[in-house]
Amino acid sequence: MRATTASTSLGLRHLRSFSCNVPSLLFSSISFPLHSPRLCFRPRTLSLIRPHATKSFSSSPGGSNYDVIVVGAGHAGCEAALASARLGATTLLLTLNLDRIAWQPCNPAVGGPAKSQLVHEVDALGGDIGKVADKCYLQKRILNVSRGPAVRSLRAQTDKREYAMEMKKIVESTENLCIREAMVTDILVGKNDNVEGVATFFGMNFYAPSVILTTGTFMSGKIWVGRKSMPAGRAGESASQGLTENLQQLGFETDRLKTGTPARVDRRTIDFSLLEAQHGDEEVSWFSFDPDFHIEREQMCCYLTRTTEFTHQLIRDNLHETPTYGGWVEAKGPRYCPSIEDKIVRFKDKESHQIFLEPEGRDVPEIYVQGFSTGLPENLQLPLLRSLPGLENCAMLRPAYAVEYDYLPAHQCSRSLMTKKIEGLFFSGQINGTTGYEEAAAQGIISGINAARHSDGKKHVVLERESSYIGTLIDDLVTKDLREPYRMLTSRSEHRLLLRFDNADSRLTPLGRELGLIDDRRWKLYQEKQARISEEKARLKTVKISGGGGDLAAEVTEVSSQPVKESATLESLLKKPHVHYSILEKHGFGNETLSRMEKECVEIDIKYEGFILRQQNQLKQMAQQEHRRLPEDLDYFSMTTLSHEGREKLSKVRPQTIGQASRVGGVSPADITALLITLESNRRRSQDVKRGKILEHALAGSNPHSIEDREHMVKE
């Protein structure tokens, strides 16, 4: 097997050190008309260097040869295809159903704790999930407002149909991108374990040196309602058959996971007077850093109800009718988004559970019953719904169901998301064991970038876990042997104070620009924003209040319970507890030219400066050891100083760095110490060999007969 393409590893310090003088985009910003989704829109031909390709890849419209093929048009597939095409790679996006591109089969919502950070980071790199969510929102709220900035997040309820329609428009109108309806059943592999393309159910072959699989829940998918089941990726859509068996033949490990979605009810049959209203924020926040997408619209209300004792009893009496507790489905479901029966079983002491009623669109009567997914038979689901206050007379429009599907444990991928077995084959989204649109989109944009770069013979891009939530997500996936759906949480990041959603652009937009995903207009907006923030922080550091500070000093003292010193700077006031930038504005010391997000960035940077510096210093201290590379051919089984479990797990995962190795489940601190000692021993042995060769060469140069004499002596 050929050595995989080298990766370019990008940490937090590297991202911040990018020069502003970055080469401009491959293409200028042009507005392209919509076109038939079955036709290719490629007005110009691109010649890419393909050192690993075994075929001649044509870029003729309608042809079967491409630079990148993306299988699946969900949230991972769309971001992957868009990133690849925008980097100049001729890209084919294959999907089972052209009318379900970027569909939100479960909750039509984007963001939430940690997920919001992922969406902001995708946008900072030049992705689209945040822009479309901003355009299609029904309601927006900032969560965890009372807590620190590290865990605050934005959540948007979106219009399901409008979201899919808007994303489809973007996909259809993107240069270098073709879409086509097809079911992929086989991966075509060359003699050197390199991907060559895909084969479809109806016998078509499409060729490319890079292929991205984003199969979602469709790979051998089966949905369950009680004891009844049928092959399907989701309700009303057929499953993808044959691909799992093909991947197994290629040597990949596969397994099964499970997820579910609740019933939908008719809003016209709900008594909202009995429910607690959940209104959106008066001042709307945004996922995208592009102000062109900051267009406010009327918000819709969500509502809160709770389960009752009758709800719990009905579930307990019928647990044997559910796929999981009945024993006919063994696949594991998501720990952090459990079914209602899992909640009743796992949290027996709780008298009730919150249930949120959320609209699926402006023009449809469907209400999503969040927190109420179930595997109970359909005939029991309506009585269960009617046990909730406000839903006593509700009508059920769609039943809840569970879905199990095949996935491939992501330790079989490197951090570029390219598989270790097949060069040029990438996995993204739920095929890697994740759950959620945001996790899928984050993987999608990285795999799209790297697939395009792989086709062009360039180094892969790797985000270190300290640089982003995306880096943390991917590092967890490829390092840990996960056997349940993975959901991003703020607690998974050791560096969350540095990885806030408000500073995602300052961390990743320079990278997006360097790669070619950020255009001139967006880059100019970014530079102007960073300049305003820097200037404002400098102003607050130098401006002092005189004459005792007057009303401002009095309010600051009252709010913070701390006295204000004579000639205190505005920066020192902002560092006091409970003092916000709005207080400075109230007394005429603010800056009206700043946006709300810019004011928040200024306040957070100043108020948490000490904590931020401390975390940055900790990062610098650990970076050298954390990023120390491990040889690809390291024989862990030969290292007798490692524990048996450590040898087994390290051989299976094959981490790329010491930091990764330390996070592999079953690898102890003692194993890492033993590994470091072995590496140091190997390094010294290698140095000794080099010194010996240098000395031998030097001796041979001074006495050309010496080596011959020694060889003669050995023979005698």
Side-chain angles (χ1 to χ4, degrees):
M1 180 176 173
R2 259 196 311 251
T4 57
T5 306
S7 297
T8 300
S9 183
L10 295 155
L12 185 66
R13 205 171 76 180
H14 179 73
L15 295 180
R16 285 182 170 167
S17 67
F18 283 138
S19 169
C20 293
N21 299 318
V22 183
S24 60
L25 276 173
L26 292 170
F27 304 110
S28 58
S29 181
I30 303 174
S31 177
F32 297 110
L34 292 177
H35 58 91
S36 166
R38 298 186 201 280
L39 297 177
C40 290
F41 183 61
R42 286 180 283 187
R44 46 180 105 178
T45 301
L46 213 70
S47 176
L48 294 179
I49 302 169
R50 302 178 191 85
H52 304 300
T54 58
K55 292 181 178 289
S56 174
F57 292 90
S58 162
S59 60
S60 59
S64 60
N65 300 312
Y66 299 86
D67 298 314
V68 176
I69 295 172
V70 181
V71 180
H75 303 275
C78 285
E79 295 291 353
L82 289 169
S84 169
R86 287 166 179 166
L87 292 180
T90 55
T91 304
L92 174 64
L93 177 60
L94 297 174
T95 176
L96 289 170
N97 189 340
L98 286 168
D99 298 322
R100 284 292 181 266
I101 290 175
W103 194 244
Q104 295 174 305
C106 200
N107 190 358
V110 172
K115 292 171 175 281
S116 170
Q117 281 85 336
L118 290 174
V119 176
H120 281 88
E121 289 177 356
V122 171
D123 181 81
L125 285 170
D128 286 83
I129 184 173
K131 299 181 182 70
V132 179
D134 282 341
K135 194 169 185 179
C136 304
Y137 75 91
L138 300 174
Q139 185 195 86
K140 283 191 174 182
R141 298 181 70 186
I142 293 286
L143 308 180
N144 298 326
V145 177
S146 61
R147 301 176 66 187
V151 295
R152 290 176 200 155
S153 60
L154 173 61
R155 184 183 184 274
Q157 191 71 20
T158 58
D159 188 311
K160 171 184 285 190
R161 289 157 184 81
E162 185 184 7
Y163 184 99
M165 181 180 67
E166 289 296 330
M167 187 65 85
K168 188 181 181 190
K169 286 180 184 177
I170 295 170
V171 170
E172 288 178 346
S173 59
T174 296
E175 184 181 2
N176 297 316
L177 178 56
C178 306
I179 57 176
R180 182 160 174 164
E181 200 167 271
M183 180 192 293
V184 171
T185 56
D186 293 277
I187 304 300
L188 306 179
V189 179
K191 295 179 181 178
N192 296 313
D193 289 334
N194 60 291
V195 75
E196 291 191 341
V198 299
T200 70
F201 181 83
F202 290 118
M204 286 293 294
N205 286 356
F206 299 98
Y207 299 99
S210 295
V211 172
I212 307 172
L213 296 186
T214 67
T215 53
T217 60
F218 283 83
M219 207 158 65
S220 301
K222 180 186 284 189
I223 63 173
W224 290 86
V225 179
R227 296 176 182 269
K228 300 286 185 179
S229 67
M230 63 183 294
R234 52 194 180 214
E237 296 183 63
S238 61
S240 171
Q241 303 293 344
L243 189 55
T244 299
E245 292 76 13
N246 175 246
L247 290 167
Q248 289 171 340
Q249 289 170 5
L250 292 174
F252 287 101
E253 175 191 355
T254 65
D255 206 342
R256 300 282 277 178
L257 289 177
K258 177 181 75 73
T259 187
T261 190
R264 284 16 172 218
V265 298
D266 192 328
R267 67 176 298 115
R268 296 166 295 191
T269 62
I270 298 174
D271 185 356
F272 292 103
S273 66
L274 301 176
L275 306 177
E276 180 183 336
Q278 301 279 304
H279 297 285
D281 293 341
E282 289 186 12
E283 196 168 1
V284 179
S285 300
W286 309 98
F287 288 113
S288 178
F289 294 99
D290 189 340
D292 281 6
F293 292 87
H294 299 178
I295 302 172
E296 292 194 30
R297 57 198 328 217
E298 183 181 354
Q299 297 197 59
M300 297 182 70
C301 193
C302 298
Y303 294 88
L304 175 65
T305 186
R306 303 191 73 92
T307 58
T308 62
E309 177 54 36
F310 180 69
T311 310
H312 295 204
Q313 192 59 49
L314 186 60
I315 291 170
R316 284 193 291 264
D317 291 344
N318 293 280
L319 279 173
H320 61 285
E321 296 288 346
T322 64
T324 300
Y325 293 95
W328 49 89
V329 172
E330 295 182 357
K332 286 191 176 181
R335 178 189 301 265
Y336 300 102
C337 188
S339 65
I340 187 63
E341 49 264 29
D342 280 343
K343 292 179 184 177
I344 302 307
V345 171
R346 285 163 50 185
F347 307 106
K348 295 178 181 179
D349 56 324
K350 294 202 71 171
E351 295 181 359
S352 69
H353 297 272
Q354 288 185 334
I355 305 296
F356 293 91
L357 305 180
E358 301 172 331
E360 291 214 331
R362 293 186 184 277
D363 305 317
V364 294
E366 290 177 67
I367 294 292
Y368 179 91
V369 188
Q370 188 198 13
F372 213 61
S373 65
T374 180
L376 284 169
E378 188 171 353
N379 66 323
L380 291 175
Q381 290 188 27
L382 186 57
L384 191 66
L385 287 165
R386 289 182 172 176
S387 70
L388 303 176
L391 276 71
E392 292 88 350
N393 300 303
C394 74
M396 184 171 69
L397 298 176
R398 303 174 192 261
Y401 64 87
V403 57
E404 57 171 333
Y405 55 94
D406 290 335
Y407 83 106
L408 287 85
H411 64 74
Q412 299 170 102
C413 293
S414 66
R415 290 186 296 165
S416 66
L417 293 180
M418 188 170 79
T419 61
K420 297 172 183 175
K421 289 184 181 293
I422 306 297
E423 184 180 343
L425 180 61
F426 297 79
F427 294 159
S428 275
Q430 285 182 282
I431 192 173
N432 281 337
T434 59
T435 177
Y437 314 136
E438 303 84 358
E439 289 87 343
Q443 294 171 72
I445 195 169
I446 296 301
S447 64
I449 289 168
N450 284 328
R453 292 175 68 85
H454 180 79
S455 294
D456 202 12
K458 296 178 179 176
K459 289 183 178 181
H460 294 170
V461 171
V462 169
L463 296 183
E464 299 295 344
R465 65 184 293 124
E466 73 269 16
S467 73
S468 58
Y469 271 85
I470 298 177
T472 303
L473 164 69
I474 294 175
D475 185 75
D476 280 351
L477 290 178
V478 304
T479 302
K480 299 176 180 177
D481 192 11
L482 302 168
R483 297 294 164 172
E484 62 182 41
Y486 178 98
R487 176 177 180 170
M488 196 68 225
L489 305 168
T490 52
S491 59
R492 296 193 191 275
S493 173
E494 308 89 330
H495 319 293
R496 52 188 173 271
L497 184 57
L498 301 178
L499 308 183
R500 310 180 307 273
F501 74 79
D502 64 276
N503 71 356
D505 59 339
S506 65
R507 291 183 282 113
L508 294 178
T509 295
L511 172 60
R513 174 66 172 181
E514 184 175 89
L515 293 172
L517 292 174
I518 299 296
D519 62 21
D520 292 338
R521 182 190 65 85
R522 178 78 179 267
W523 182 243
K524 183 181 178 183
L525 289 171
Y526 166 78
Q527 289 178 308
E528 290 172 347
K529 175 189 172 183
Q530 298 306 314
R532 286 192 298 271
I533 291 173
S534 296
E535 289 168 4
E536 179 64 4
K537 288 196 289 188
R539 184 185 74 87
L540 296 176
K541 191 183 289 286
T542 56
V543 174
K544 298 179 180 180
I545 56 173
S546 57
D551 294 338
L552 172 60
E555 183 167 356
V556 168
T557 300
E558 181 182 354
V559 168
S560 66
S561 300
Q562 293 181 1
V564 175
K565 296 180 180 179
E566 186 70 26
S567 299
T569 63
L570 296 179
E571 179 192 58
S572 66
L573 299 185
L574 204 50
K575 285 187 174 184
K576 294 181 180 296
H578 311 300
V579 176
H580 301 292
Y581 192 92
S582 57
I583 293 180
L584 303 185
E585 286 186 294
K586 177 181 175 181
H587 296 278
F589 289 93
N591 186 340
E592 296 179 355
T593 65
L594 300 181
S595 67
R596 182 163 66 97
M597 179 62 77
E598 290 164 358
K599 294 170 186 174
E600 288 179 3
C601 288
V602 169
E603 179 179 325
I604 292 169
D605 284 349
I606 289 176
K607 190 175 289 291
Y608 295 90
E609 182 181 22
F611 298 101
I612 292 171
L613 287 173
R614 186 188 308 165
Q615 201 161 99
Q616 287 174 338
N617 289 333
Q618 290 171 348
L619 273 179
K620 289 177 183 177
Q621 292 171 10
M622 61 175 275
Q624 187 175 359
Q625 200 75 295
E626 174 83 7
H627 300 155
R628 186 173 178 180
R629 303 287 298 181
L630 293 173
E632 291 184 4
D633 59 351
L634 208 55
D635 184 2
Y636 294 103
F637 282 113
S638 68
M639 299 181 191
T640 55
T641 51
L642 295 177
S643 66
H644 288 292
E645 186 179 11
R647 278 178 266 177
E648 180 185 328
K649 291 297 178 67
L650 290 169
S651 296
K652 184 177 183 179
V653 175
R654 301 213 64 82
Q656 294 172 294
T657 65
I658 283 290
Q660 258 194 291
S662 68
R663 293 186 287 275
V664 173
V667 175
S668 68
D671 288 329
I672 297 300
T673 301
L675 185 57
L676 287 169
I677 292 171
T678 301
L679 288 176
E680 182 62 21
S681 176
N682 290 347
R683 186 187 67 81
R684 291 181 179 179
R685 191 180 300 117
S686 177
Q687 283 184 338
D688 290 342
V689 171
K690 286 180 181 178
R691 288 194 191 99
K693 288 182 178 179
I694 293 171
L695 182 60
E696 188 175 285
H697 183 74
L699 290 172
S702 61
N703 184 2
H705 300 293
S706 60
I707 295 178
E708 294 177 7
D709 292 344
R710 270 180 286 161
E711 288 177 349
H712 181 71
M713 290 171 65
V714 169
K715 286 179 182 178
E716 288 181 345

